[in-house]
Amino acid sequence: MLRRALLAASASPWLRQLVTTAPAARAIVDSYVAGETAQDAVRVTRELRAAGLLVTLDYLGEDTTDQAQAAAVTQEYVQLIGKLAAEGLSHRGAAEVSVKPTAVGLFLGADIAAANIGRICAAAAQAGTTVTLDAEEYAAIEPTQQIAAKLRAEHPDLGCVVQACLRRTEDDCRALAAHGVRVRLCKGAYSEPDSVAFASHRDVDLSYGRCLRVLMNGPGYPMLATHDPRLIQITGSLALLTGRRPDSFEYQMLYGIRPAEQRRLANTGAQMRVYVPYGGDWYAYLVRRLAERPGNLALFLRSLRSKQ
């Protein structure tokens, strides 16, 4: 129930205004968000790379309904990739980008989003790195996968994200694994009806395990996004059982969550990528992170009260 309430809060304009104007919010945000500018994102990327960690960068924002804004977000990504390349951070995908299709115009039309994503992919290819299309609300899943399938003809390393909370995802994993695609598997951070999503944490975990096995047994490149110690252990065991080399899959975690574990995995020789968001539109992202880990809510609320 708490998770559903938090996910509902992520879409509340009133709560957005309350939280984003609270003086104490910035200190909490800084724990999970790199900053507001591309320079901030590059600075954090530089620090993480120095620690032996891979990086994927997300310019925060979604559900764009203005074509000029979609073009501006696209240009932000192109410029960010250029900055990464200029500092030698993008070589061989060491730092890549994650793109929400709705931020670059998906709900304005699939052709608009595809053209904008194609621009970002072209910039990434020139810089020697990759692009991953983030998963969003259920209405965006199918058109996102269709765009990805179309663009892979020119950009075969274009990755996508699937959410274990959705009932369709195991079948999606089978299809994507068969084509050798880069696939990030996460639990999911959007509120969806029971008709399309699993309601209980247990069912989501079981779905994650099934999807994990499909991806690890396939010819693609699995990207396992989880902070769950048990699922991390299962991933390591599956890698041994399937004979996967350490460079044939990767772990992923969010910036600011379990940083010691991130470093531990990297120190074992595993590929460990940190998902780093930046930008001013951080409210929905932060609240969904609290929904994924409701224990963080008490810390957040205490911090707001103590600093007001």
Side-chain angles (χ1 to χ4, degrees):
M1 292 298 292
L2 178 58
R3 179 176 184 274
R4 286 184 180 273
L6 286 168
L7 290 174
S10 71
S12 168
W14 178 80
L15 284 173
R16 175 188 290 266
Q17 176 68 15
L18 178 67
V19 173
T20 56
T21 57
R26 187 74 253 171
I28 303 299
V29 174
D30 288 344
S31 298
Y32 300 97
V33 177
E36 296 197 358
T37 69
Q39 287 78 7
D40 293 325
V42 171
R43 170 182 51 80
V44 169
T45 299
R46 194 184 305 118
E47 294 168 357
L48 293 170
R49 288 296 300 133
L53 298 161
L54 304 173
V55 177
T56 185
L57 291 160
D58 168 28
Y59 181 55
L60 292 168
E62 56 195 89
D63 295 341
T64 297
T65 56
D66 177 78
Q67 192 163 345
Q69 176 62 17
V73 172
T74 302
Q75 185 62 19
E76 173 72 21
Y77 273 109
V78 170
Q79 292 177 344
L80 171 65
I81 292 167
K83 293 179 188 298
L84 294 172
E87 295 213 18
L89 296 169
S90 60
H91 181 61
R92 299 184 67 178
E96 65 135 41
V97 296
S98 290
V99 179
K100 288 182 172 59
T102 68
V104 293
L106 181 62
F107 289 157
L108 293 168
D111 290 345
I112 292 173
N116 286 334
I117 293 167
R119 280 191 62 205
I120 298 169
C121 287
Q126 186 173 4
T129 191
T130 54
V131 177
T132 299
L133 298 185
D134 271 329
E136 302 182 78
E137 60 197 89
Y138 192 79
I141 299 297
E142 188 61 31
T144 293
Q145 293 205 8
Q146 290 174 358
I147 289 172
K150 177 181 177 181
L151 289 177
R152 283 194 194 101
E154 185 174 354
H155 304 285
D157 56 6
L158 177 60
C160 65
V161 180
V162 294
Q163 302 173 87
C165 67
L166 298 180
R167 298 180 185 277
R168 62 173 285 169
T169 297
E170 187 175 354
D171 288 338
D172 287 340
C173 285
R174 294 186 190 284
L176 292 165
H179 290 92
V181 175
R182 293 172 59 249
V183 180
R184 178 192 301 152
L185 173 63
C186 67
K187 288 189 178 181
Y190 290 83
S191 182
E192 304 290 358
D194 292 350
S195 59
V196 300
F198 298 108
S200 73
H201 284 296
R202 180 178 182 275
D203 285 340
V204 173
D205 284 351
L206 290 172
S207 173
Y208 194 104
R210 293 191 301 270
C211 294
L212 172 61
R213 289 177 175 83
V214 169
L215 295 175
M216 292 294 281
N217 280 288
Y221 184 82
M223 303 180 287
L224 295 320
T226 181
H227 307 98
D228 187 326
R230 185 175 58 87
L231 290 173
I232 291 169
Q233 184 177 27
I234 291 171
T235 299
S237 298
L238 279 173
L240 291 173
L241 288 171
T242 57
R244 275 192 170 272
R245 301 186 315 275
D247 63 353
S248 70
F249 72 101
E250 65 186 47
Y251 300 93
Q252 295 192 357
M253 294 187 192
L254 299 171
Y255 179 62
I257 297 183
R258 302 196 72 198
E261 176 66 1
Q262 294 174 13
R263 293 191 296 273
R264 184 194 72 80
L265 285 167
N267 289 339
T268 68
Q271 303 274 87
M272 174 64 238
R273 191 177 300 273
V274 184
Y275 185 100
V276 180
Y278 79 99
D281 192 9
W282 50 261
Y283 171 77
Y285 172 85
L286 176 61
V287 176
R288 284 200 292 269
R289 299 295 76 77
L290 294 174
E292 289 176 342
R293 294 170 61 86
N296 289 336
L297 180 60
L299 172 63
F300 181 69
L301 294 176
R302 282 198 303 271
S303 298
L304 288 179
R305 286 198 300 269
S306 65
K307 296 183 181 181
Q308 284 177 340

